[in-house]
Amino acid sequence: MGYKYKSIMDIMEMINRGDIYLPAIQRNFVWDPWQIESLFDSIMRGYPIGTFIFWYISKAEADKYIFYKFIQNYHDRDNNLNEIAPHPELKDNIIGVLDGQQRLNSMYVALQGTYAYKNPHARWDDDKAFPKRKLYINLFKKEEPTEEETEIDSKEEEQNFLYEFKLLTDNESKEINDNKLWFSVREVLKWEGDPSLNIDRYYDSLLDKEDINKSLKDIIEQRRDQVKQMLRILYRCIVEDKLISYYQVKEQELDDVLDIFIRVNSYGKPLTKTNLLLATIVAIWKDGRDEIESFIKHLNQKGDNSFYFDNDFVMRACLVLTDCPILFKVKGFRADKIEKIRDEWEEIKSAIDKTVDLIVKFGFDGKTLTSQNAIIPIAYYIKKGGDVKGSVDDIKKYLIHALLKQIYGGQGDKVLSDIRDVIGDMIKSDGKFSFNRLLNKKLPGNKSLMMADKEISEILEYEKGPYTFMVLSLLYPNLKFEQVKFHQDHIHPESLFTEAKLKSHGIPQELWGDYISKANKLPNLQLMEGTENEQKNGTTLEEWLNGKDKYGKPYVADVQKFKMDNYIPPEASTNFKDFLDFYNQRKNLLKEHIEKILTQ
């Protein structure tokens, strides 16, 4: 089937009649004023404005999905989302726009509605900051702008407009001088009969205006041909020429239409995967977008520090928790799966919510949770009714092993699928979360949760960051992260590892590089209460263990217990001069404990 053609006016009338709507797989209207103005400049210049794809669908099929109306009166604050079209108002046959929504809605706002954006530097809560604007063309526009006229928005500069279109308030549009004569673009849609007669009437009305002085009348008369020529071009482009080139799609099933939609959005500036997935969900589940975005906001506010969960995380979790194939592509979100997600949404939310609460107790936040996928199996276990209370230690071991081993990097969907299968077997047996069963599972890409000696040696070389926190959280299993904020603290203060400080402490220059390279690594790190760490600050280890505060109270009440709790070899020297020996002794001690924890 070839392309068909209609004029812009034809399309505007079809939208007004309720013939054309926007399927929910489309984004909301997002174009800025300069983009609308640029579009009309292209129309006037005869530039291609792209083809359109229209989905011809019967009411019986349309009733299965969600459609939106075109925005007519856009308002930055109060009316920036497309309104859902009630099914009863849909005709027996309608058209859904699969490609070209932003262009068509821009034309509709410009020719049938208004665009209210906030005035610069105004307050968002000030109603007067959003005046209604309509689209005008400057009939006095020079072909080559002056240097002063080019001092405009950078985006507009890149467009290199030939015709000057502007969204203006009523007052702004009344300004007339030797450089400006504004004409409301939508007026050409009202003309009936011979356009030449309408153009002549408009021109004569300019000369009859009482507020036009003689000098302006002279200018209007001098530019008579220019004014009439621009109006003829405008009328032809909007009313006469069939500039809307469109392709008809008559498939009725959403899956077939999605295939077309995805293919179309693979070129140019495509929708992000997240937007495509969300749009696909909304096509079936009316409240899906709001539910997901509200839930994400709720999750990200948990704990002392923010998390960074996003739409991708929630939608992948939805597939896992509903036992759907974990194909994280738009094609994986078919109608039956979306309906299943919608029906189980409250259970899904509850499981993820409890999972995030649990990892907060483990001490994780947005910075230390290096893979969001790693917590999805925990949520699956919770949704299936697993015994969380009796499995906390094993769940924590799984999570930290999964993060340290980075098992979800590459082939992550396949890894999730395999781990889900193992957890499903746990639920069917005794309901206990068994870390050992996961430990023995061979995963895609030759991955596993097992820690080899070489990997433990590499862990000991980690520098302060998310991964050192994970290891330390295993070494300090009794800390109540949900009650007290803990910091990763340098045992020998980080502030000592500068050339100036090393020199002042009598450290031989040839050892400076060795000192500095080891300062931030795991053997010089411990977990300490935030308030205590702030008190310790730059205090040397030896002074901290043996000194007193300004009130005469010892910094450390029980030195031997402090050393034991923090894996400090009891006989190791705590003098900064002996840091390298201290580092090696603690490294060996940590290795013994880490091996017991990570390999048992």
Side-chain angles (χ1 to χ4, degrees), residues 486-498:
F486 290 89
H487 293 174
Q488 290 191 73
D489 171 59
H490 294 82
I491 298 177
H492 283 276
E494 185 180 23
S495 59
L496 297 181
F497 293 86
T498 65

Side-chain angles (χ1 to χ4, degrees), residues 8 90 113 118 123 138 144 149 163 274 295 313 317 328 373 384 388 403 409 427 449 457 496 504 522 536 541 591:
I8 292 174
L90 298 182
K118 187 175 74 67
R123 291 169 55 92
N138 182 5
E144 296 297 329
E149 289 174 327
Y163 295 94
T274 298
F295 182 52
F313 163 76
F328 197 57
N373 286 344
K384 294 298 180 180
V388 178
L403 296 173
I427 297 294
L449 292 172
S457 296
L496 297 181
S504 68
L522 183 60
K536 179 173 179 278
L541 176 59
K591 185 176 182 181

